Amino acid sequence: VPADATAAPDAAPDAPPAIDDDHDGHPAEADCDDHDPAVWQDLAYGFRDADGDGRTVASAGTICSGASLPRGFLVAASLPDCDDTDPAVFDLVNGFIDLDRDGVGAGPLMAVCSNGTLPASFAATGTDCAPGDATAWQVLGYNFRDGDGDGAVIAQAGTQCSGARLPPGFFVDPPANRPFDCDDSDPAIAVPLTVFADADHDGFGAGASQLACTAAGAPPAGFSTSGTDCDDGDPAVWASLAYTAVDFDGDGVTAPASGTRCTSGTLAPPFFAAAHGHDCNDDDPALTRFVVLYPDHDGDGVGAPPRQIACIGDALPAGLVVGGYDVDDGDPAAIEDGDADDIFDLIVNS
């Protein structure tokens, strides 16, 4: 019997040696790249700097690494990069496309990836009124123009796409020594006249003034040189006159009032420019004046307090008189015998 036939079997056979092809001290099963001794572990990153400009973009993942993440892979963010493929551009700048390169752009506001300044084809402002014309970029207002080039101008407000100043033929202020042109399309007509529309043809116009072009200086049909018509729909009236008194009840006595009336040149009743009396009730022609009256109970023609202010006509109401110094209004003779001091006191105290 062979000597080893009865020997006990090997309880733990020798394990095969670990594989480490790149000899970096990390076995293949734990090495993320067993063919590169410089890397052996997967490390997580959250940001990239692929173009090496020191700015990052958010990009999460893992990469087979050595003791630390390789260049261009970072855990923490740096300044943001708008283009991680080009180290020459890294910052977003807002601008407008400037096709004609006049320094003023147009169109929608755009974010441009650049080195921090706008490229030559972009501008910081977007108000170019002529994006394809480098000689014009801003809207300027004008108040006068010479459209037919005859040297005369018209008063016309508007705006014009311009360069640094308005183009020829457009002016903010009236040019010196230039006449006003009544027809800027016809140099043969040159007599301007300020007129107002006269809808009712009564010779008086209304509304905003207009510049009419005439040969002889006379207003054209339907217009007037006067703009004071207070009712341009009624040819019977045209002048607005103020009144200070009215007489609505027609009794010849006015009450104070103020306002204006559209007239044919004169005020007509019941409206008056000056007062005539002081009507206490302009709704009743029988009542025309305020009078202080006293009761006269004894009928002697002299009353006594209490006094009252009444709106009356020509006649005094029955039982009331103007005088109020009767010392005894129950005795018709008492006023003649009354003491002067008593009469004075009665007048003062009433």
Side-chain angles (χ1 to χ4, degrees):
V1 177
D4 60 352
T6 59
D10 191 349
D14 292 337
I19 298 174
D20 182 10
D21 288 340
D22 56 8
H23 306 291
D24 59 3
H26 299 277
E29 64 269 19
D31 194 332
C32 56
D33 186 350
D34 201 33
H35 298 92
D36 184 353
V39 297
W40 59 84
Q41 61 180 337
D42 285 320
L43 294 181
Y45 62 89
F47 300 89
R48 290 292 315 276
D49 178 15
D51 56 10
D53 59 4
R55 294 179 173 240
T56 59
V57 295
S59 177
T62 59
I63 187 170
C64 191
S65 311
S68 59
L69 284 167
R71 183 180 181 85
F73 297 85
L74 304 98
V75 175
S78 180
L79 293 174
D81 194 339
C82 56
D83 185 348
D84 201 34
T85 65
D86 185 352
V89 293
F90 43 79
D91 205 2
L92 283 176
V93 181
N94 291 328
F96 301 87
I97 294 178
D98 183 13
L99 294 176
D100 54 14
R101 307 292 180 94
D102 58 7
V104 183
L109 183 65
M110 303 176 63
V112 184
C113 190
S114 72
N115 61 359
T117 60
L118 284 170
S121 58
F122 286 83
T125 57
T127 57
D128 198 334
C129 52
D133 182 358
T135 65
W137 60 83
Q138 63 179 334
V139 175
L140 297 180
Y142 62 87
N143 298 314
F144 302 88
R145 66 166 300 178
D146 177 14
D148 56 11
D150 61 0
V153 298
I154 61 171
Q156 182 185 75
T159 58
Q160 180 70 17
C161 189
S162 313
R165 60 186 60 85
L166 283 166
F170 298 88
F171 310 92
V172 175
D173 300 312
N177 301 320
R178 287 199 184 197
F180 280 96
D181 197 338
C182 60
D183 187 343
D184 203 36
S185 64
D186 186 353
I189 303 175
V191 181
L193 188 65
T194 300
V195 296
F196 302 84
D198 181 12
D200 56 12
H201 302 284
D202 59 4
F204 298 88
S209 64
Q210 303 178 44
L211 193 65
C213 194
T214 66
F223 291 87
S224 170
T225 55
S226 170
T228 58
D229 199 334
C230 49
D231 186 348
D232 204 31
D234 184 355
V237 293
W238 57 84
S240 181
L241 298 179
Y243 62 88
T244 61
V246 294
D247 181 15
F248 288 119
D249 57 10
D251 57 8
V253 182
T254 61
S258 62
T260 58
R261 296 288 294 174
C262 192
T263 73
S264 60
T266 57
L267 283 170
F271 300 93
F272 299 89
H276 304 285
H278 192 91
D279 201 334
C280 58
N281 187 338
D282 203 34
D283 295 324
D284 187 345
L287 304 176
T288 59
R289 57 187 179 129
F290 282 112
V291 179
V292 177
L293 299 175
Y294 298 85
D296 181 15
H297 296 297
D298 56 12
D300 59 3
V302 181
R307 69 176 181 176
Q308 55 184 279
I309 299 175
C311 181
I312 67 172
D314 294 334
L316 295 176
L320 296 173
V321 295
V322 175
Y325 50 87
D326 197 334
V327 295
D328 185 350
D329 201 31
D331 181 357
I335 185 60
E336 299 175 358
D337 300 329
D339 183 85
D341 292 336
D342 292 338
I343 295 174
F344 178 79
D345 291 338
L346 186 61
I347 295 174
V348 171
N349 294 328
S350 64

